[in-house]
Structures are given as structure tokens and as C-alpha cells.
Amino acid sequence: MFNKKKNNDKEENIMNTENTSENITENVENTDAPTNETEQAPELSAEEKLQAEVQQLNDKYLRLYAEFDNYKRRTQKERVELLQTAGKDVIVSMLPVLDDFDRALKAMETAADVAPVKEGVLLVHHKIKNILGQKGLKEVESISKDFDTDFHEAITNIPAPTDDLKGKVIDEVEKGYTLNDNVIRFAKVVVGA
């Protein structure tokens, strides 16, 4: 009886060792599987990483360059359009004055008296000055003022009639104008010496 029990115990031990060895081989196979997966995704070398980074930076540079080029084209196009239409509002505001001149020319053809024609021309002149004044145009005051090269252009010097007119503007040949406080045409003047 004891013998039989011993034999059964031996058989169980043998079976247990076989099961254990099977479990170990399965575990070994399972541990091999993850290493195979990591071997399938090889690590990049330092050189390959740098090449990938260079490629990425190159792509970023090209995109930035293209964006800047598009910006340049767009601003240049806007600048050209602005220059072509810059005077549009001034011209549109001047059209009524042009109409007034057309009416004045028609009236001058049949006019017998000069006084009404002169009055009409003065009204048109006043209208055009007001419109340009609203746009920022101002006349440069010159006569009896000190000669200033920022606003005046001397055509000639003449002897001053009095001592207080030396170095001052005696006569104005052509008016000067400023637009929004920037000189757009210098006044051509005669200066006393």
C-alpha cells in the first residue's frame, strides 16, 4: 500500500515536472515575442535623426519663404492699386468745379456784360479753393515774410526798397502749397538784398 502510494507520488512529481518544463518553455517563448517586436521597430541612428530634423527644418524654411513671397506680392499689388486710386476722392470732389467751368464757358459765349462772368469765375475759384482746403491743401504765406528755404525758392535777389525788407520776400512769382503740413510746391519768390 505504501508502495503504491509512493509510486503514485513519483508519477505525480514526474507529471508536475513535465508541466513545469512546459510552462517554462512557454514563458521563454513569451519573453522572446516582445524582443522580436522591438527588433521590428529599429532605433534610428544619430545621423538619421539629424537628417530627419534637417528635412523638417528645410520644409519649415520653404513654407516660411513661400509665405513671405506671397506677402510681398500681396503688398506690392495693394500699393499699385493705392497709387492708381490715390487721387480718386480728390478728383471726384473736383468734378462739380469742372461742371461749373463748363457752365461758365457756355455763359461767356453769349454774355454781353463782363461783370457777371467775372463774378462767376470768382465763385468757381472760391469753390475750388474750399474743396482743396478740405483735403488739407494750404497756401504758403510768403510776401513780407523772412526768406525760408523750407518753404521758398529764390528766383532772384533785388535791392531792398527799405532796410527792414532785407532778407525778406518782396514779391511772389508762383504760390507755394503744403498738403497736410508737407510742402508739395515751393513758393518761387524774389528776395530783398
Side-chain angles (χ1 to χ4, degrees):
M1 180 158 161
F2 285 114
N3 261 344
K4 225 178 189 189
K5 194 172 185 185
K6 276 186 180 179
N7 285 339
N8 281 340
D9 284 343
K10 282 183 184 178
E11 285 177 16
E12 281 181 19
N13 281 340
I14 292 172
M15 289 179 124
N16 283 341
T17 27
E18 285 177 2
N19 285 341
T20 313
S21 68
E22 286 176 8
N23 286 340
I24 289 173
T25 39
E26 284 178 11
N27 285 341
V28 168
E29 287 175 4
N30 287 340
T31 55
D32 285 346
T35 46
N36 286 342
E37 289 175 11
T38 55
E39 287 176 12
Q40 290 174 357
E43 284 192 29
L44 296 174
S45 69
E47 184 178 324
E48 290 171 337
K49 285 180 183 177
L50 289 175
Q51 285 178 346
E53 186 178 343
V54 165
Q55 183 65 28
Q56 181 184 9
L57 290 174
N58 218 3
D59 184 51
K60 187 177 179 181
Y61 166 75
L62 287 175
R63 289 178 189 275
L64 186 64
Y65 184 79
E67 187 177 326
F68 179 70
D69 196 38
N70 289 339
Y71 167 77
K72 270 187 1 185
R73 279 194 212 125
R74 186 176 62 245
T75 54
Q76 186 176 14
K77 182 180 176 185
E78 288 172 356
R79 195 176 307 130
V80 167
E81 288 174 0
L82 180 67
L83 288 175
Q84 289 175 347
T85 61
K88 180 182 176 184
D89 61 331
V90 174
I91 291 174
V92 167
S93 64
M94 297 294 289
L95 290 177
V97 176
L98 184 62
D99 294 337
D100 288 346
F101 272 120
D102 288 339
R103 284 190 285 274
L105 287 173
K106 283 183 183 178
M108 284 183 356
E109 290 175 359
T110 59
D113 193 12
V114 177
V117 173
K118 184 178 179 182
E119 185 180 332
V121 170
L122 287 174
L123 286 173
V124 173
H125 180 260
H126 182 68
K127 188 174 187 177
I128 196 168
K129 272 190 161 182
N130 283 340
I131 289 172
L132 292 174
Q134 290 171 356
K135 301 297 179 186
L137 186 74
K138 293 180 186 172
E139 289 182 4
V140 174
E141 296 293 325
S142 298
I143 297 180
S144 300
K145 301 278 183 176
D146 288 333
F147 177 72
D148 186 359
T149 56
D150 291 337
F151 298 103
H152 305 119
E153 180 182 333
I155 292 178
T156 187
N157 287 342
I158 61 168
T162 60
D163 286 341
D164 61 328
L165 289 178
K166 285 185 178 181
K168 294 191 178 195
V169 176
I170 295 175
D171 191 20
E172 184 177 55
V173 177
E174 189 175 80
K175 287 187 182 227
Y177 292 96
T178 60
L179 182 63
N180 299 323
D181 298 326
N182 294 322
V183 176
I184 59 171
R185 186 172 87 179
F186 292 99
K188 293 183 179 174
V189 296
V190 176
V191 181

